[in-house]
Amino acid sequence: MVASSSLSNSNNQAAARAAAERARAAAAERARVANAANTQRANARAADRNSVPGYSGKSSFEASPNSSMAAARAADRQSMLGYTSGTLRKGAEGDSVKALQERLTASGFDTGGADGKFGPRTERALKNYQRSQGLSADGVAGRKTYDSFNGVKTPGTKTDGVTSVNADKSVKGPVNTQLPDSGDGFTTYGPRRMQYGTEQTVKNMQEIAARYKAATGKTLEIGDLSAKGGVKTDRHKTHTNGANVDLRPPSTNGGPSNWKNAGYDRDATRTLIQEIKRTNPNAKILFNDPVLIKEGLTSRAGGHDNHLHVSFK
Ligand SMILES: [Zn+2]
């Protein structure tokens, strides 16, 4: 009995040791898999960060390898923009507002300087940025806005749809579609016989006008496109391919439009150009406002003080 019991004990101990060894091995394997996953996530985060122009901060994920993706992103938002938690809205002040203003300006949305005070111009710039990203344009910078700055895509946004749909569509084709004389966000000026374009050009202008109206509350004035069939006229050297469009620059007082006039609305003009480029990034725009030229949004050309010339590509 004693011997048998002792043998049984010894067998049990051996079994227990084997079980403990298996558990250790399993734990080691789990740790190895977890580390590999952590590395993969860290690489994904690094790629995300690198996709943000000019951003080269150290990975906050590496600093805390056991944290979740959400925590890593939160840390990124903080390290990048002074974002701590919650939201920034009109009335806020401080370094995080300044960082937000700098970021908006770098993205092409003018806040009227980075003074660290969240005023109406910052709110307007933020709303326009949010709209351009397909986010809800509430003028409040929160998690989704900062994720968007960080290059984290919000799935199913309007931006994704619009960009991918239009990017593939050629503006080439027969010049036989007439722009309606008015529509959502636009009216026309000049002779109706000059308002023919390719089907895609006319569609582009209607969509751009609707977005511009939503962003600014203003109505876009559209002038010459092409004559039907793209025939040459004495009105233009170009404008024969159905993909050129002339636009009046927005004004704040309804007066004659020219960038040299007091009533010229540069902010609205900038928004208009951003709406054009958002879905048609290769469009070439001629307009002589020296500020917009300096910002890389337009190019100088003779005779283009009082209208923007857009060539869709
Ligand atoms: Zn033109």
Side-chain angles (χ1 to χ4, degrees):
M1 256 326 254
V2 170
S4 161
S5 166
S6 156
L7 184 62
S8 167
N9 279 345
S10 148
N11 279 345
N12 286 345
Q13 281 162 13
R17 272 197 304 277
E21 186 49 44
R22 278 196 303 278
R24 265 194 301 278
E29 175 61 9
R30 276 196 302 275
R32 191 190 64 75
V33 170
N35 276 338
N38 278 344
T39 303
Q40 218 168 25
R41 288 195 203 103
N43 288 342
R45 289 301 304 144
D48 259 352
R49 281 188 298 275
N50 285 339
S51 73
V52 178
Y55 180 74
S56 63
K58 179 173 161 50
S59 165
S60 48
F61 193 82
E62 285 157 25
S64 51
N66 292 323
S67 61
S68 66
M69 279 296 280
R73 282 181 182 159
D76 268 353
R77 286 191 290 269
Q78 186 170 358
S79 68
M80 190 169 158
L81 287 157
Y83 176 92
T84 49
S85 65
T87 55
L88 285 178
R89 65 182 72 222
K90 196 157 81 179
E93 290 188 16
D95 285 347
S96 49
V97 174
K98 189 164 186 282
L100 174 66
Q101 290 169 324
E102 282 165 358
R103 184 64 211 213
L104 285 169
T105 303
S107 303
F109 297 85
D110 185 25
T111 61
D115 60 1
K117 289 178 186 157
F118 197 136
R121 288 190 73 172
T122 300
E123 185 181 49
R124 176 171 167 178
L126 176 57
K127 281 184 179 175
N128 285 338
Y129 172 79
Q130 289 171 323
R131 203 172 280 113
S132 78
Q133 297 300 304
L135 301 170
S136 137
D138 57 5
V140 178
R143 188 178 57 80
K144 282 183 186 164
T145 300
Y146 283 91
D147 273 347
S148 154
F149 285 143
N150 282 329
V152 179
K153 283 253 186 322
T154 309
T157 59
K158 211 164 50 180
T159 310
D160 291 341
V162 170
T163 305
S164 56
V165 168
N166 276 354
D168 296 331
K169 288 196 176 163
S170 169
V171 289
K172 295 201 173 93
V175 185
N176 59 11
T177 305
Q178 192 179 30
L179 182 74
D181 65 356
S182 63
D184 181 15
F186 72 92
T187 58
T188 53
Y189 65 94
R192 292 287 291 146
R193 66 182 170 83
M194 289 304 298
Q195 282 159 356
Y196 287 84
T198 64
E199 189 182 359
Q200 187 62 42
T201 297
V202 170
K203 196 159 174 281
N204 285 352
M205 278 323 304
Q206 289 172 302
E207 291 177 358
I208 287 164
R211 292 201 304 270
Y212 168 75
K213 168 95 176 178
T216 63
K218 287 172 170 285
T219 299
L220 182 61
E221 295 180 68
I222 305 177
D224 283 10
L225 283 72
S226 298
K228 192 169 187 181
V231 297
K232 230 173 158 21
T233 68
D234 56 3
R235 291 174 63 84
H236 300 273
K237 281 191 224 123
T238 61
H239 285 261
T240 53
N241 66 354
N244 295 304
V245 184
D246 285 345
L247 306 172
R248 271 192 184 139
S251 101
T252 53
N253 57 9
S257 46
N258 186 314
W259 71 266
K260 294 172 177 172
N261 289 350
Y264 165 59
D265 190 338
R266 179 172 292 135
D267 282 345
T269 305
R270 188 185 287 107
T271 300
L272 169 62
I273 293 166
Q274 283 160 350
E275 287 304 333
I276 294 169
K277 300 242 171 184
R278 182 154 82 87
T279 44
N280 301 274
N282 298 323
K284 173 124 176 116
I285 299 166
L286 307 178
F287 184 53
N288 292 345
D289 176 349
V291 173
L292 297 183
I293 291 172
K294 209 171 154 198
E295 291 175 10
L297 294 174
T298 67
S299 304
R300 187 181 309 279
H304 288 77
D305 287 334
N306 64 357
H307 73 280
L308 291 84
H309 172 99
V310 182
S311 298
F312 290 105
K313 305 289 179 194

